[in-house]
Amino acid sequence: MKVLGINGSPRKDGNTATLIKIVFSELTKEGIETELFSFRKTE
């Protein structure tokens, strides 16, 4: 199984990114692959 995380927050290390990292950490412990897509504008 693979889980896709999508982050649309404009803040690079904001609350959304922090929560995704926590969830991904737990999923990885269970042997589940994760991938993150961030749609933050890069300027």
Side-chain angles (χ1 to χ4, degrees):
M1 178 187 291
K2 188 170 192 176
V3 174
L4 171 64
I6 300 173
N7 184 357
S9 174
R11 295 175 54 207
K12 181 180 179 182
D13 293 317
N15 292 332
T16 303
T18 301
L19 289 172
I20 290 173
K21 288 177 188 177
I22 292 168
V23 170
F24 277 11
S25 174
E26 294 300 316
L27 292 172
T28 302
K29 288 179 190 176
E30 296 295 323
I32 299 171
E33 290 183 65
T34 60
E35 187 169 349
L36 175 63
F37 284 108
S38 182
F39 292 103
R40 183 178 64 87
K41 288 184 180 178
T42 54
E43 295 181 20

